[in-house]
Amino acid sequence: MLKRKLFREIGKNLSQFITILLMVMIGVMAYSGIEAYMDGMIGAADKFYTDNNLQDLNVMGMGFSKEDLDTVKGLPHVNNAERKLVFNAINSDDNDKGFVVSFIESNEISKFYLEDGIPFDVNKKGAWVDPWYMRENGLKIGDKIRFKYDTLELEEEIVGAIQVPDHIYDIKDESALLPDHATFGFIFLSANEIPESFIKNSVMKEAGIEDENVFDAVMPDFDYTSYIPYNYVMVDVDDKDNVDSVKNSIEDKIESAQAIIKIEDSLSYSTYQGEIDEGRGFVGIFSGLFLFIAILSVITTMTRVIKKQRIQIGTLKALGFSDVKVQMHYIGYGFWVSLIGACLGLLAGKFFIGSVFMGLEMDFFEIPNDGAVMNPLSYLVAALVVLGISFVTYLTCRKQLKENPAETLRIELPKVKSGTLGFTTTSVFKKMKFATKWNIRDVIRNKIRTLTAVVGITGCCVLIVCALGMLNSIDHFIDLQFEDLYNFSYRLSLKQDIKDNEIKALTDEYGNNTSKTLGIEIKDDAGNREANTIFVHDAGEYVRFIDPDDDFMTLDRDDGVYITHKLGENENIKIGDYVTWHIYGSKDYYESQVVGYNKDPQTQGVTATRKYIESLGIDYVPDSIYTNIDLSNKKDIPNVELVQDKSNLKENISGMLEMMRSMIVIIIVVAVLLGVIIIYSMSILSYSEKQYQFSTLKVLGFEDSKIRRIFVKQNNWIAIAAIIIGLPLGRGLTSWLFKICIDEKFDIDTHIYFITYLLGAAGTFLVSFVVSTILGRKVNSIDMVSSLKSNE
């Protein structure tokens, strides 16, 4: 009988129970889906790095010998080390396509994940190729691939499609902020595939010998394998705690080491980890808010649903049903509905939110993707949600059961002090309309319901403003970087081996606005070193700077360095302090005073004038020239590695942020959906509790239209209160997220457009108004006899 009653009551109040189910589902879906996406990314990387032995250090230089390799292998705490020759080549059949080519001697470090083909063997011919490049270009195992670099040109058969742990994220050059798998990929080959003629010609060129016969006479026992210019050594360290000591030992013992980079500072690793760190911050806040708002609304709704069963509870008790039986019956109201909602939320979380977010992220990264992974914590949270709702249902029912059946069979009178009831007939309230007075009294009688509605709608308003505000701030960041700071049309990236007369020829033609970027390490007082860059400025007004207040500034100090404000905050470096640094490839350290802060939205580092750098005895050889001359029809300029169009740079970074936009749009849609459901749930709950009062008003002669206005007015008040609280909280949450969660290399200010506040406010109010208006129509069909006699 009680089971039949349970289903009958759910059927009679179907809309309320559906909203409860949907709120639980959305809350659990948001939480579990976002956790599944984050755990999927983390798990995929951890598994890939561990199973395939990602290196701990990359040692870069020129011409690492076998003796250098043996020295590194013999250092304490070094498990293994491998050499490789790495360079960028172009496709022989299409010069617009390129590869990063690596010749390796073995594959015990950064081992291949084989998608197709044969495993790597140094004694086998052929090329192991990026599978993403193969798919984009219609290549398969057995096809030929051709590339050229300097005087080297090779044609190789593709024997394997591989993913490599230190090639998760590859870009063609500094102008590309996103991988383009159709035009750029990686190729690995055995070191035995390096042609002897290529090495021989390189050695002859370096020695200044043009005649091969003369070279053979001078070096009759020439062994080309000893002259392969390996420029990388990958080092596997036994423990992360020993990486710094190994790094110091290599610096002391290997003279040809120009730079030693921790894997955490490499582009591939840091970009992927940066996405994880950003995601953790953003999605953790959003998922937590979704869950909190949904559960708060569900608990309030369930409490009111059970309170509406007061007379039924009294009847069951009077008929002799035990307290335990009645409690279990009413706990079932919350338990079964929330259990179904939680299960649906877990499924939707993994296969909708988790899979969609994971797919968006993995479009940029080459990593074996096992998909979204459900965290056991998500199951625990879902279980706690169900138990929490059931427990609140139990407490509400228990409170009703404490009363005598005779008391329970009567309608519960609101507990309002007479003084409180009377205040609406005095002072300024005396002149108010009846509808206003009636709603004020109703709000006072139902504080918890009103407060919950305000909190729920405020939370949704906060989420919408925050998500839209993040989009606004990203747009502002792009405009600031590319319209205000980049005051040029084109940037020419010069070749590394360019000579002074060649630089002069270029500056004579394109202007002498130049810069140089140097890779450096900054050492703190404890001896810890962090990789960074120093931007040497000699570009005039072509590259502009702003201070922490976003006002334009000039670099007018030639006696020290400027650092970005965010770097100063993160490292606790103040103006007037000294920073100790050295250039990669040089063991000379410099101690420079910080003479000012500047702000850079995209890069956090050090800036200095050309005059200051030259005063330290460092030769200034520019690597970039900035110009406003139209170069749209020029692809190849002598001694220029790359011509970068500012508009293309802007498109690239916009594309890089497109994934974040897509995720934010999904969050907005879910927030709006949750907001609609909460507003509907609170409105229908409010309406159902007012049926007796509305019936009384109808008997007293109030028209249906006036009663509807009374109902809509109160919901409008709640929506307006939520909007007033939600708009500033949305801005505050946006600022907090950008400050705490954004990648350290970005410095993005909160910049929310007026239209965003307008949309957030208008959208929230409109939904509330429409839902209230629709529900208000039910006033016309109230059965006054049953409503009024139910309290007798």
Side-chain angles (χ1 to χ4, degrees):
M1 186 182 70
L2 290 179
K3 287 179 182 177
R4 289 198 300 271
K5 178 181 179 299
L6 173 65
F7 289 117
R8 186 172 63 248
E9 292 292 345
I10 290 176
K12 286 170 62 178
N13 301 279
L14 189 60
S15 58
Q16 284 183 276
F17 282 104
I18 287 176
T19 57
I20 291 169
L21 184 146
L22 289 175
M23 285 188 287
V24 173
M25 187 188 81
I26 291 174
V28 173
M29 178 185 72
Y31 182 86
S32 62
I34 291 170
E35 287 292 326
Y37 135 67
M38 288 308 307
D39 288 338
M41 285 194 69
I42 295 168
D46 288 346
K47 186 175 187 300
F48 194 31
Y49 292 156
T50 302
D51 293 351
N52 297 76
N53 195 24
L54 178 69
Q55 67 266 35
D56 297 292
L57 292 171
N58 280 321
V59 184
M60 292 173 280
M62 286 302 297
F64 290 114
S65 65
K66 183 67 166 57
E67 289 73 21
D68 291 334
L69 181 65
D70 291 338
T71 300
V72 173
K73 286 183 176 181
L75 293 174
H77 307 298
V78 172
N79 287 333
N80 198 5
E82 292 180 0
R83 293 183 298 177
K84 61 180 180 179
L85 171 61
V86 182
F87 53 76
N88 280 4
I90 59 174
N91 190 317
S92 300
D93 302 314
D94 186 348
N95 288 350
D96 289 331
K97 297 180 179 179
F99 313 97
V100 54
V101 179
S102 300
F103 290 94
I104 60 176
E105 300 175 288
S106 57
N107 189 227
E108 294 302 316
I109 300 176
S110 197
K111 294 188 287 188
F112 300 162
Y113 174 88
L114 188 66
E115 275 197 13
D116 194 10
I118 61 174
F120 175 79
D121 188 332
V122 72
N123 296 313
K124 289 181 179 177
K125 293 181 176 293
W128 286 263
V129 182
D130 176 359
W132 290 54
Y133 180 88
M134 291 173 62
R135 284 190 285 269
E136 291 288 336
N137 290 279
L139 298 173
K140 59 184 183 300
I141 302 297
D143 288 349
K144 300 289 185 180
I145 194 164
R146 301 171 64 231
F147 63 88
K148 57 185 177 182
Y149 166 75
D150 199 14
T151 61
L152 171 66
E153 186 162 3
L154 287 178
E155 180 180 83
E156 296 283 345
E157 179 185 346
I158 299 175
V159 296
I162 57 169
Q163 295 188 47
V164 189
D166 63 346
H167 283 272
I168 286 179
Y169 183 88
D170 276 329
I171 55 176
K172 187 175 183 179
D173 49 56
E174 61 183 15
S175 69
L177 298 174
L178 287 175
D180 183 354
H181 302 298
T183 62
F184 189 72
F186 57 79
I187 298 176
F188 279 78
L189 304 101
S190 165
N192 296 336
E193 294 291 278
I194 303 174
E196 180 178 356
S197 58
F198 172 67
I199 302 301
K200 189 174 183 178
N201 289 336
S202 299
V203 175
M204 287 174 60
K205 184 178 179 180
E206 188 175 341
I209 301 173
E210 298 182 359
D211 191 328
E212 189 172 341
N213 294 324
V214 173
F215 180 80
D216 290 339
V218 173
M219 301 184 68
D221 299 322
F222 176 72
D223 178 9
Y224 84 97
T225 60
S226 301
Y227 290 88
I228 295 174
Y230 292 106
N231 53 1
Y232 269 80
V233 174
M234 299 181 294
V235 184
D236 176 25
V237 181
D238 60 4
D239 191 277
K240 285 292 183 185
D241 293 337
N242 298 320
V243 169
D244 286 328
S245 65
V246 171
K247 181 180 177 182
N248 294 334
S249 298
I250 294 173
E251 284 183 339
D252 293 338
K253 296 181 180 296
I254 308 298
E255 292 187 3
S256 51
Q258 296 178 354
I260 306 172
I261 307 294
K262 294 179 182 179
I263 195 63
E264 291 82 3
D265 295 325
S266 67
L267 177 66
S268 174
Y269 188 100
S270 63
T271 303
Y272 188 86
Q273 189 60 40
E275 286 298 314
I276 291 175
D277 292 340
E278 286 181 20
R280 270 181 178 152
F282 286 129
V283 302
I285 294 297
F286 281 119
S287 64
L289 273 175
F290 274 120
L291 194 60
F292 171 75
I293 294 165
I295 300 311
L296 179 66
S297 303
V298 168
I299 288 173
T300 304
T301 304
M302 278 306 307
T303 302
R304 310 304 283 195
V305 167
I306 299 303
K307 281 191 173 183
K308 279 178 62 180
Q309 293 281 308
R310 172 185 175 86
I311 295 176
Q312 288 91 326
I313 291 172
T315 303
L316 291 172
K317 193 172 180 181
L319 290 172
F321 283 83
S322 68
D323 288 357
V324 173
K325 222 170 187 47
V326 175
Q327 285 172 352
M328 294 304 296
H329 168 65
Y330 281 103
I331 287 172
Y333 281 55
F335 177 80
W336 292 111
V337 175
S338 59
L339 179 64
I340 294 170
C343 291
L344 291 175
L346 289 171
L347 289 172
K350 180 177 180 180
F351 295 107
F352 174 59
I353 298 290
S355 296
V356 169
F357 279 19
M358 193 80 174
L360 289 170
E361 284 281 11
M362 289 306 175
D363 282 344
F364 300 102
F365 301 105
E366 296 195 39
I367 186 170
N369 180 10
D370 295 328
V373 177
M374 288 301 291
N375 190 322
L377 183 61
S378 296
Y379 294 107
L380 178 61
V381 168
L384 289 175
V385 167
V386 175
L387 292 174
I389 293 170
S390 301
F391 183 67
V392 170
T393 309
Y394 160 75
L395 291 178
T396 306
C397 183
R398 182 169 172 264
K399 184 179 178 183
Q400 303 289 344
L401 288 169
K402 281 185 176 181
E403 298 179 5
N404 295 324
E407 295 175 355
T408 313
L409 286 169
R410 297 179 183 275
I411 190 169
E412 184 180 20
L413 296 176
K415 295 178 181 178
V416 183
K417 295 179 182 178
S418 58
T420 306
L421 280 170
F423 90 96
T424 54
T425 61
T426 60
S427 186
V428 68
F429 299 101
K430 196 173 183 180
K431 299 179 181 179
M432 287 183 176
K433 293 181 179 180
F434 172 80
T436 304
K437 295 177 183 178
W438 192 91
N439 279 318
I440 291 174
R441 290 188 175 210
D442 189 66
V443 167
I444 293 170
R445 289 188 181 116
N446 299 279
K447 300 182 185 69
I448 301 298
R449 185 193 70 207
T450 304
L451 182 61
T452 304
V454 170
V455 171
I457 299 171
T458 296
C460 296
C461 183
V462 167
L463 287 171
I464 293 169
V465 171
C466 180
L468 289 172
M470 289 169 64
L471 293 178
N472 295 162
S473 300
I474 289 169
D475 290 337
H476 176 71
F477 153 73
I478 293 172
D479 289 340
L480 176 65
Q481 183 73 69
F482 294 97
E483 302 302 329
D484 295 340
L485 301 186
Y486 286 179
N487 195 31
F488 57 85
S489 299
Y490 294 89
R491 178 167 65 191
L492 310 182
S493 295
L494 310 182
K495 292 185 176 179
Q496 289 186 355
D497 55 354
I498 192 169
K499 297 179 174 56
D500 289 344
N501 62 318
E502 295 168 336
I503 293 174
K504 187 176 186 306
L506 288 170
T507 53
D508 287 344
E509 184 171 359
Y510 300 109
N512 62 350
N513 299 287
T514 65
S515 72
K516 183 176 182 64
T517 301
L518 297 167
I520 64 171
E521 276 189 327
I522 299 175
K523 184 168 69 174
D524 62 19
D525 294 338
N528 300 314
R529 294 177 292 178
E530 292 290 337
N532 211 301
T533 59
I534 184 167
F535 178 80
V536 185
H537 176 61
D538 192 35
E541 283 297 309
Y542 281 69
V543 177
R544 296 189 290 208
F545 299 89
I546 55 173
D547 62 22
D549 297 322
D550 288 352
D551 296 323
F552 285 110
M553 60 179 288
T554 57
L555 306 186
D556 52 5
R557 297 282 298 271
D558 299 320
D559 56 344
V561 298
Y562 295 81
I563 65 170
T564 53
H565 183 250
K566 187 171 182 179
L567 177 64
E569 283 188 339
N570 291 342
E571 302 297 332
N572 195 28
I573 302 173
K574 299 178 177 61
I575 296 175
D577 291 350
Y578 285 83
V579 292
T580 303
W581 56 279
H582 81 104
I583 301 170
Y584 279 122
S586 170
K587 295 184 178 179
D588 296 331
Y589 275 88
Y590 305 93
E591 196 172 73
S592 302
Q593 186 178 26
V594 176
V595 295
Y597 284 144
N598 69 293
K599 181 178 175 182
D600 192 320
Q602 195 174 346
T603 304
Q604 306 313 309
V606 183
T607 302
T609 63
R610 173 180 178 175
K611 186 173 181 180
Y612 176 69
I613 289 297
E614 289 181 332
S615 72
L616 298 177
I618 301 171
D619 291 335
Y620 176 80
V621 180
D623 58 15
S624 298
I625 295 176
Y626 305 90
T627 184
N628 285 324
I629 297 173
D630 185 9
L631 301 176
S632 55
N633 296 320
K634 282 197 174 185
K635 284 190 175 181
D636 296 320
I637 299 176
N639 300 306
V640 173
E641 189 78 36
L642 185 67
V643 178
Q644 296 172 299
D645 185 337
K646 184 177 74 169
S647 60
N648 290 339
L649 290 173
K650 186 174 180 179
E651 287 176 9
N652 278 334
I653 198 164
S654 297
M656 183 180 70
L657 296 168
E658 195 59 39
M659 181 272 299
M660 184 182 290
R661 295 177 194 272
S662 300
M663 293 171 65
I664 290 172
V665 167
I666 293 173
I667 289 171
I668 292 171
V669 171
V670 177
V672 170
L673 179 61
L674 182 61
V676 170
I677 293 170
I678 287 174
I679 290 170
Y680 178 79
S681 175
M682 293 296 109
S683 297
I684 200 170
L685 185 64
S686 174
Y687 172 80
S688 64
E689 291 181 347
K690 292 185 176 77
Q691 283 192 58
Y692 175 72
Q693 292 94 321
F694 289 163
S695 298
T696 304
L697 292 175
K698 290 185 76 169
V699 169
L700 292 173
F702 282 78
E703 295 178 355
D704 290 347
S705 59
K706 187 165 186 177
I707 297 173
R708 285 198 300 270
R709 286 197 296 271
I710 292 173
F711 175 68
V712 171
K713 178 179 280 190
Q714 185 179 136
N715 289 341
N716 289 345
W717 289 358
I718 292 172
I720 291 170
I723 290 166
I724 292 172
I725 299 169
L727 294 182
L729 284 181
R731 180 182 179 84
L733 179 62
T734 308
S735 299
W736 188 82
L737 284 172
F738 278 131
K739 184 176 181 180
I740 302 299
C741 307
I742 199 73
D743 191 308
E744 287 189 358
K745 68 181 178 181
F746 291 111
D747 188 1
I748 302 179
D749 280 337
T750 302
H751 196 90
I752 301 179
Y753 304 142
F754 176 74
I755 188 66
T756 293
Y757 293 118
L758 192 61
L759 285 172
T764 302
F765 184 82
L766 184 63
V767 170
S768 176
F769 180 78
V770 170
V771 170
S772 301
T773 302
I774 292 172
L775 287 175
R777 292 176 182 173
K778 290 189 175 186
V779 170
N780 301 345
S781 57
I782 291 177
D783 184 349
M784 290 188 290
V785 174
S786 61
S787 295
L788 292 171
K789 286 186 71 66
S790 64
N791 294 321
E792 292 182 4

